[in-house]
């Protein structure tokens, strides 16, 4: 089978009965410009006539679409949940081991940097005795573990937009994965009220509040979103509430429909601009901020 | 009101005159013998026809349909037209579209991104008569211009512009003017019409490739 050049039709160099080949050609092939493919296919002997061509095309197109749908839908929320938990475990363990390694290495080497970076530098050393051998070997494991955490992050960044396109677009892939993980799945997240989504990850503070100690938490894990941590403290509650509201809608669209809706993202941007304008309003002494508060 | 294209009739459903085509029902729409109702409230192309726009869809036309979604509108188009290529990017609606395609010999479903025509130029033929576009993405004009390559010289674009996909804050009319302005790069606009009351903040456009 010849490679498909950028000028050839999906059937070029293929036999009409090579189902798997034709499916793959439809899914991954490309061309710079369309052409009169039915005529080319008949003239090239791929099909006896245009009717036969269309029949083969239809069967291959349906098979290709079905296969692609199955693959995309197999990208499920549970894989994302495991991946983000594994990433967090790998990161935490690497940091803990790096602390231990730093403490130990200090007895053997001069001027060892703390943390993962320090372990990575140590891993490159040539050990000269059995103790150094152990320290360097430990540092190598830490390096591997930290690299695995990075790879898991890359995996989550690829997977999240497939599993939850709107949630990933709005929250970023890693935060989207965390929300799904905290809720226990995309369907569970889609069924939660926005007030719950707002404090997901702040369960300790929430239960302390419910038991009568302390104030209610304004935000859980969504604090990592720029719209929350980049907003001045007085307005963070409003920002967290607005973000949680739209994240909840995004999760519902992703779970029940699955198509990307640009308008909800624009609506959030607009709302955040209004909330952040309060700070400007107060600085310049205008009354806009107060009107907004009264809405 | 212009004459209805061949293959579309007005028939009475629930006491109202509504559009209808002949073919297998797809989502439980009302039927009258072999005719099934084409609900303008669910279909922007249906609303364009209902508001009297001259879409000039002709039996046997080659069609590229961008944003086929679950296939409600594309099913009516395929029942009137010839070879119909249906592009949809989201996996979930594609599942329903596949059922629609199974029942139609001239419908070719493609799970592709309408913003990347080179990813389906090896399948979709050239010199098509009609490009139908109903995609909810920013840059609807550039999608239409990029996909003009599939149209014959006098081929027509039937476009539904969704104002809120471009900019939720701007006045819909301002958005429509901007999108139509960009369309001039590849098309000559023949007719434009708001699709109320069937679809809020949508504009129907009929244009000719140039």
């Amino acid at each position: 089978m010849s490679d498909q050049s950028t000028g050839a039709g999906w059937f070029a160099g293929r036999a009409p009965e090579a189902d798997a080949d034709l499916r793959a050609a439809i899914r991954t092939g490309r061309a710079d410009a369309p052409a009169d493919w039915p005529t080319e296919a008949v003239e090239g002997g791929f099909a006896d006539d245009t009717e036969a061509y269309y029949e083969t095309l239809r069967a291959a197109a349906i098979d290709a679409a079905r296969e692609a749908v199955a693959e995309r839908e197999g990208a499920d929320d549970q894989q994302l949940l495991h991946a983000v938990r594994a990433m967090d475990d790998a990161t935490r363990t690497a940091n803990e081991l790096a602390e231990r390694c730093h403490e130990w290495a200090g007895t053997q080497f001069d001027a060892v940097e703390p943390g993962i970076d320090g372990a990575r530098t140590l891993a490159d050393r040539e050990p000269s005795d059995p103790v150094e051998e152990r320290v360097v070997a430990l540092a190598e494991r830490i390096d591997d573990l930290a690299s695995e955490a990075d790879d898991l992050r890359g995996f989550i960044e690829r997977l999240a937009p497939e599993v939850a396109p709107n949630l990933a677009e709005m929250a970023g892939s890693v935060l989207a994965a965390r929300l799904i993980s905290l809720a226990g799945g995309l369907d569970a997240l889609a069924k939660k009220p926005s007030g719950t989504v707002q404090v997901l990850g702040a369960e300790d503070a929430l239960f302390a509040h419910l038991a009568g100690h302390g104030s209610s938490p304004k935000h859980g894990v969504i604090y990592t979103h720029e719209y929350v941590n980049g907003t001045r403290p007085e307005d963070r509650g409003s920002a967290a509430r607005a973000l949680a509201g739209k994240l909840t809608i995004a999760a519902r669209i992703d779970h029940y429909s699955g198509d990307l809706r640009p308008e909800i993202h624009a609506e959030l941007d607009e709302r955040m601009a209004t909330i952040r304008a309060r700070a400007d309003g107060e600085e310049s002494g205008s009354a806009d901020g107060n009107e907004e508060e009264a809405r | 009101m212009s004459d209805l294209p061949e293959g579309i009739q007005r028939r009475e459903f629930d006491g109202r005159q509504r559009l209808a085509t002949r073919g297998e029902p797809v989502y439980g729409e009302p039927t009258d013998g072999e005719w099934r109702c084409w609900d303008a409230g669910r279909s922007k192309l249906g609303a364009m026809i209902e508001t009297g726009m001259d879409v000039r869809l002709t039996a046997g036309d080659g069609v590229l349909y961008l944003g086929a979604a679950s296939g409600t509108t594309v099913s009516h188009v395929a029942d009137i037209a010839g070879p119909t290529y249906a592009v949809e990017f989201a996996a979930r609606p594609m599942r329903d579209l596949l059922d629609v395609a199974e029942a139609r010999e001239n419908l070719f479903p493609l799970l592709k991104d309408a913003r990347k025509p080179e990813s389906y130029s090896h399948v979709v033929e050239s010199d098509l008569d009609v490009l139908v576009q109903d995609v909810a993405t920013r840059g609807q004009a550039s999608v239409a211009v990029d996909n003009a390559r599939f149209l014959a010289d006098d081929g027509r674009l039937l476009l539904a512009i969704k104002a809120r996909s471009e900019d939720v804050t701007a006045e819909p009319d301002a958005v429509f003017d901007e999108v139509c302005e960009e369309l001039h790069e590849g098309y000559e606009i023949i007719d434009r019409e708001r699709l109320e009351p069937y679809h809020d903040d949508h504009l129907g456009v009929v244009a000719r490739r140039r």
Side-chain angles (χ1 to χ4, degrees), chain A residues 10 25-27 29-32 35-37 54 58 66 68 72-73 254-255 257 262-263 266-267 270, chain B residues 83 89 92 94-95 101-102 104-105 108 111-112 118 121-126 136 149 162 164 168-169:
Chain A
W10 62 284
I26 288 190
R27 291 187 55 187
R30 49 201 305 117
D32 291 332
D36 185 358
W37 303 129
Y54 283 132
R58 175 172 168 271
R66 182 158 287 138
R72 272 218 234 156
E73 298 206 324
D254 289 340
H255 181 58
S257 146
E263 59 267 29
E267 281 163 13
E270 196 193 343
Chain B
F89 186 48
R92 228 158 297 185
M94 177 54 86
R95 254 196 325 219
E102 292 276 13
R104 286 170 176 80
E105 281 178 4
F108 315 114
L111 188 71
K112 303 279 183 184
E118 62 284 353
S121 290
H122 65 304
V123 181
V124 179
E125 63 196 89
S126 55
R149 67 179 81 181
K162 182 177 188 178
R164 291 172 67 75
V168 278
T169 61

Side-chain angles (χ1 to χ4, degrees), chain B residues 6 8 17 35 38 54 76-77 90 102 105 127 143 174 179 182 193 197 204 208:
Chain B
E6 196 188 323
I8 309 180
Q17 288 290 317
W35 294 82
W38 185 350
D54 184 8
H76 292 288
V77 172
E102 292 276 13
E105 281 178 4
D127 285 331
V143 171
V179 174
E182 273 181 69
E193 208 83 59
R208 190 184 300 120

Side-chain angles (χ1 to χ4, degrees), chain A residues 18-84:
Chain A
D19 294 349
D21 249 19
L22 295 176
R23 268 202 310 272
I26 288 190
R27 291 187 55 187
T28 59
R30 49 201 305 117
D32 291 332
D36 185 358
W37 303 129
T39 307
E40 279 195 22
V42 173
E43 281 171 1
F46 175 79
D48 291 339
D49 51 31
T50 31
E51 210 168 301
Y53 168 78
Y54 283 132
E55 216 177 285
T56 313
L57 168 60
R58 175 172 168 271
I62 290 178
D63 282 356
R66 182 158 287 138
E67 188 180 71
V69 166
E71 263 174 40
R72 272 218 234 156
E73 298 206 324
D76 70 55
D77 55 338
Q78 292 303 309
Q79 302 312 313
L80 201 54
L81 174 150
H82 289 301
V84 77

Side-chain angles (χ1 to χ4, degrees), chain B residues 14-185:
Chain B
D14 321 319
R16 279 191 297 143
Q17 288 290 317
R18 297 168 76 180
L19 300 173
T21 62
R22 271 174 297 192
E24 285 280 309
V26 303
Y27 63 91
E29 64 274 35
T31 54
D32 176 8
E34 55 180 351
W35 294 82
R36 63 191 178 101
C37 178
W38 185 350
D39 184 351
R42 279 173 177 259
S43 161
K44 277 138 229 165
L45 185 59
M48 286 168 72
I49 298 171
E50 202 60 274
T51 47
M53 296 183 83
D54 184 8
V55 300
R56 248 179 293 170
L57 207 53
T58 316
D61 272 354
V63 179
L64 171 59
Y65 194 118
L66 303 176
S70 309
T72 312
T73 306
V74 90
S75 71
H76 292 288
V77 172
D79 286 346
I80 306 163
T84 304
Y85 298 87
V87 172
E88 170 54 45
F89 186 48
R92 228 158 297 185
M94 177 54 86
R95 254 196 325 219
D96 299 330
L97 179 57
L98 283 169
D99 292 337
V100 174
E102 292 276 13
R104 286 170 176 80
E105 281 178 4
N106 58 332
L107 184 54
F108 315 114
L110 296 164
L111 188 71
K112 303 279 183 184
D113 186 346
R115 290 168 301 184
K116 298 180 184 134
E118 62 284 353
S119 70
Y120 48 85
S121 290
H122 65 304
V123 181
V124 179
E125 63 196 89
S126 55
D127 285 331
L128 292 172
D129 304 289
V130 180
L131 170 63
V132 185
Q133 181 181 321
D134 177 15
V135 296
T137 161
R138 223 170 270 192
Q140 296 168 91
S142 75
V143 171
V145 170
D146 275 357
N147 281 280
R149 67 179 81 181
F150 297 102
L151 283 176
D153 286 339
D154 58 346
R156 265 156 303 125
L157 166 70
L158 307 177
L159 169 67
I161 306 170
K162 182 177 188 178
R164 291 172 67 75
S165 293
E166 296 292 330
D167 187 344
V168 278
T169 61
E171 269 303 303
D173 276 323
V175 173
F176 296 147
D177 286 346
E178 211 170 293
V179 174
C180 287
E181 187 56 40
E182 273 181 69
L183 275 179
H184 281 302
E185 257 176 67

